């Protein structure tokens, strides 16, 4: 267990979990040992967590001066840890009461902040304490739970200062299941109550000074609130996020005060997307969509759309080459990668994702390249609104004939997936029995279209793919003998086909690898 010595000689401990770029994590409580943060729902798959045990908690030593438990005085502990780690700038995460320490550190050392993540913070440092009314209003959202009456009475009594006990733990979680119960029970041995009483005591916070400093903070800030949390409720969280020059609010549906316990996947996708400098997000129809960008901002745009089970990273090799002449956008469709996984999936929903994405980013008239499921969504969009698309490339796109034989129930593979498994049965059902109007409207696609086929090794019926190309006015068909994953297996030939179609520069390709047939 690594340790370091802070400004007053106190020995403090920290714990390392995962690999990658470090993310310094400050626990809440107030003054709860960092053990309760765990791996933050699996965030360790993306970052190395540096979990600080605040003075007097966990494996850290008790200081000689109890007054040093005050929040503002612990800013120096965070700075000492940064120096100990040898980091010029840090990505800093604070949960709950720990969010106040994170904010005070950012206000005192703005030049040291790479990014700031505040998880369900009670923003005392901003002069915005959650009120009892806000907390109780949030609690009443749980009125249909079987345990509500008892927990609510205990919560109201505690907020009124009559009975400071913890029989209302269920109200702090979005789901009062076995995992939440175990997490809450462990808290009984993780708190330093003496230190907690000092943490927010008189003099700890100067809200006007802090707000002024944070309004000038030149770093991105994520404030993640729980839909069911009262400290802060989403409205208060929105007011807190507005205090930052570059503040972003995300509200996790169905979550309480510990969102990584309530829905680990949703939590990790939101935080990982924010922390990844190569990832951006946009919200379309209430769904947060992640995407990656390459190339000069002034260059003409092209949108790349992945297939089922993939994400924007699938296009990295293609995107890097196209970026020489194009502004490249690669999206994570709903249920995939770092976008939201809302649980409802269909080709129409993916089409609507693309429509909203293009409109929100002001990309009307963009060229669009879609693979497989992504190509199907792009084709449906082109049928409905051809004005949103300049050129259209459909790589190994299902031609919307009923599958014969139909696909039976698929078995979910074990382990963690990079996409939401319900995508598979939902889209399989539509592939088995597609809306005949979809293929009937191929003639309505009024944009230049290139259909890329993968040849005999593909799972797509190549004759029907050729039929689809023949139905789209003026479409061209290119066959590249690569199977279903053309852009992955034959990137040079794929890029050459795109270049000859007017997207990017033509690439040198083997004549034996690609056969071009024009469909008129």
């Amino acid at each position: 267990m690594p340790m370091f010595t802070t400004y007053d000689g106190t020995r403090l401990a920290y714990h390392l979990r995962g690999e990658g770029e470090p993310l310094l994590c400050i626990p809440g409580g107030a003054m709860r040992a960092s053990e309760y943060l765990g791996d933050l729902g699996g965030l360790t798959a993306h970052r190395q967590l540096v979990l600080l045990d605040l003075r007097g908690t966990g494996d850290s030593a008790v200081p000689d001066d109890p007054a040093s438990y005050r929040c503002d005085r612990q800013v120096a502990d965070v700075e000492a840890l940064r120096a100990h780690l040898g980091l010029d700038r840090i990505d800093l995460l604070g949960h709950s009461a720990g969010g106040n320490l994170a904010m005070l550190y950012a206000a005192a050392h703005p030049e040291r902040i790479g990014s700031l993540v505040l998880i369900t913070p009670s923003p005392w440092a901003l002069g915005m304490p959650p009120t009892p009314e806000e907390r109780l209003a949030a609690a009443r959202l749980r009125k249909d739970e079987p345990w509500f009456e008892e927990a609510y009475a205990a919560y109201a009594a505690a907020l009124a200062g009559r009975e400071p006990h913890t029989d209302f733990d269920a109200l702090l979680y979005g789901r009062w299941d076995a995992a939440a119960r175990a997490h809450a029970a462990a808290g009984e041995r993780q708190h330093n109550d003496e230190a907690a009483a000092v943490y927010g005591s008189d003099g700890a916070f100067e809200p006007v000074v802090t707000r002024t400093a944070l309004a000038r903070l030149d770093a991105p800030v994520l404030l993640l609130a729980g839909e069911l949390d009262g400290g802060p409720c989403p409205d208060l969280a929105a007011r807190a996020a507005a205090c930052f020059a570059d503040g972003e609010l995300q509200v996790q549906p169905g979550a309480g005060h510990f969102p990584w316990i309530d829905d680990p996947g949703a939590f990790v996708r939101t935080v990982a997307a924010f922390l990844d400098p190569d990832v951006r997000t946009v919200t379309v129809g209430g769904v947060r969509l992640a995407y990656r960008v390459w190339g000069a901002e002034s260059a003409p745009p092209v949108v790349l759309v992945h297939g089922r089970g993939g994400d924007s990273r699938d296009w990295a090799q293609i995107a890097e080459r196209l970026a020489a002449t194009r502004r490249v956008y690669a999206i994570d469709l709903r249920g995939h990668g770092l976008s939201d996984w809302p649980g409802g999936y269909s080709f129409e929903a993916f089409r609507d994702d693309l429509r909203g994405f293009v409109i929100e980013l002001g990309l009307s008239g963009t060229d669009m390249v879609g693979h497989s499921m992504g190509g199907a969504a792009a084709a449906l969009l082109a049928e409905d609104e051809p004005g949103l698309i300049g050129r259209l490339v459909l790589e190994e796109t299902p031609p919307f004939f009923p599958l014969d034989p139909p696909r039976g129930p698929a078995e979910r593979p074990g382990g963690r997936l990079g996409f939401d498994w319900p995508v598979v049965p939902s889209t399989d059902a539509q592939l088995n029995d597609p809306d005949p109007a979809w293929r009937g409207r191929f003639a309505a696609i009024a944009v230049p279209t290139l259909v890329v086929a993968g040849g005999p090794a593909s799972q797509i019926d190549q004759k029907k793919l050729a039929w689809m190309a023949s139905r789209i006015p003026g479409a061209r068909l290119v066959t590249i003998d690569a199977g279903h994953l053309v852009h992955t297996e034959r990137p040079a030939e794929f890029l050459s086909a795109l270049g000859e179609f007017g997207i990017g520069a033509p690439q040198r390709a083997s004549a034996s690898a690609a056969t071009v047939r024009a469909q008129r």
Side-chain angles (χ1 to χ4, degrees):
M1 173 189 57
M3 301 193 73
F4 67 102
T5 301
T6 189
Y7 72 97
D8 62 353
T10 304
R11 295 281 288 168
L12 302 182
Y14 61 97
H15 307 267
L16 300 177
R17 293 177 180 263
E19 298 180 352
E21 291 295 315
L23 174 63
L24 202 159
C25 303
I26 301 177
M31 301 304 292
R32 183 173 178 178
S34 66
E35 177 186 356
Y36 83 98
L37 295 173
D39 66 355
L40 284 175
L43 192 57
T44 46
H46 301 268
R47 301 295 292 264
Q48 181 184 62
L49 306 185
V50 182
L51 306 172
L52 174 62
D53 279 343
L54 300 177
R55 52 180 55 220
T57 71
D59 294 310
S60 288
V62 173
D64 293 333
D65 181 8
S68 66
Y69 287 133
R70 207 173 71 178
C71 183
D72 60 321
R73 295 188 60 178
Q74 295 191 65
V75 167
D77 293 342
V78 180
E79 173 62 4
L81 176 55
R82 181 205 61 79
H84 168 76
L85 295 172
L87 299 174
D88 182 58
R89 292 164 68 88
I90 57 174
D91 292 328
L92 184 63
L93 179 148
H95 171 245
S96 189
N100 293 282
L101 179 50
M103 285 187 275
L104 292 187
Y105 179 84
H109 301 281
E111 75 285 357
R112 299 299 187 186
I113 296 293
S115 61
L116 180 63
V117 180
L118 304 173
I119 307 301
T120 60
S122 302
W124 309 320
L126 301 176
M128 301 177 179
T131 66
E133 293 76 17
E134 288 172 331
R135 292 182 183 274
L136 290 174
R140 288 192 292 273
L141 297 174
R142 317 297 299 283
K143 61 183 176 60
D144 294 330
E145 301 281 0
W147 42 259
F148 172 77
E149 294 296 339
E150 183 177 352
Y152 185 81
Y155 196 37
L159 290 173
R162 297 194 300 272
E163 297 181 33
H165 50 70
T166 58
D167 290 344
F168 52 80
D169 280 344
L171 290 168
L172 302 179
Y173 297 84
R175 299 182 303 180
W176 190 230
D177 55 13
R181 287 184 171 90
H183 189 261
E188 297 177 6
R189 59 175 175 78
Q190 293 169 346
H191 281 96
N192 182 333
D193 293 334
E194 175 191 357
V198 178
Y199 187 79
S201 58
D202 289 347
F205 306 119
E206 295 182 84
V208 173
V209 173
T210 300
R211 289 199 303 269
T212 300
L214 294 180
R216 297 194 297 263
L217 179 65
D218 184 23
V221 180
L222 171 66
L223 201 154
L224 192 151
E227 179 188 21
L228 304 177
D229 191 20
C233 64
D235 284 346
L236 177 56
R239 297 198 299 273
C243 293
F244 297 91
D246 188 10
E248 171 187 341
L249 172 68
Q250 292 290 341
V251 178
Q252 183 170 315
H257 200 58
F258 303 93
W260 68 92
I261 300 294
D262 296 322
D263 188 339
F267 174 83
V268 169
R269 288 188 294 274
T270 300
V271 177
F274 172 78
L275 289 172
D276 189 331
D278 294 328
V279 175
R280 306 181 185 190
T281 61
V282 63
T283 298
V284 172
V287 176
R288 184 186 54 81
L289 300 175
Y291 64 99
R292 300 170 191 270
V293 180
W294 294 259
E297 190 171 355
S298 59
V302 58
V303 174
L304 308 181
V305 194
H306 62 80
R308 189 171 79 176
D311 60 46
S312 56
R313 295 173 297 177
D314 296 350
W315 292 105
Q317 185 177 10
I318 300 299
E320 288 168 2
R321 298 294 294 273
L322 290 178
T325 58
R326 307 301 293 262
R327 177 71 163 178
V328 184
Y329 299 81
I331 185 176
D332 287 355
L333 293 171
R334 66 174 63 206
H336 293 77
L338 295 179
S339 290
D340 282 348
W341 296 11
Y345 305 106
S346 65
F347 287 110
E348 298 95 329
F350 298 134
R351 173 202 62 199
D352 293 344
D353 284 348
L354 288 180
R355 176 189 289 113
F357 181 79
V358 169
I359 292 173
E360 285 292 324
L361 295 185
L363 301 177
S364 292
T366 181
D367 294 341
M368 188 171 292
V369 181
H371 173 241
S372 192
M373 181 191 78
L380 293 180
L381 179 60
E383 289 179 354
D384 287 353
E385 297 190 53
L388 291 181
I389 298 175
R391 293 179 179 87
L392 176 64
V393 178
L394 304 176
E395 176 198 354
E396 279 287 295
T397 294
F400 297 134
F401 283 91
L403 295 182
D404 184 20
R407 291 180 182 173
E411 182 178 351
R412 185 193 187 281
R416 182 176 294 172
L417 301 178
F419 66 99
D420 197 5
W421 179 251
V423 168
V424 172
S426 297
T427 53
D428 274 353
Q430 290 192 295
L431 289 170
N432 285 338
D433 186 22
D435 185 341
W438 294 348
R439 64 180 181 274
R441 297 185 64 228
F442 284 145
I445 296 179
V447 300
T449 301
L450 173 68
V451 177
V452 179
S458 170
Q459 66 205 47
I460 302 290
D461 186 322
Q462 298 293 287
K463 291 182 179 179
K464 291 176 180 174
L465 202 58
W467 178 89
M468 179 178 73
S470 74
R471 299 297 297 167
I472 300 173
R476 288 192 287 166
L477 174 66
V478 174
T479 297
I480 301 174
D481 291 328
H484 190 56
L485 303 176
V486 179
H487 73 271
T488 301
E489 298 297 327
R490 294 283 192 273
E493 289 87 345
F494 185 78
L495 285 163
S496 180
L498 294 187
E500 292 173 5
F501 185 59
I503 300 177
Q507 306 290 314
R508 180 176 300 174
S510 168
S512 62
T515 303
V516 181
R517 296 190 297 274
Q519 302 292 324
R520 299 298 184 212

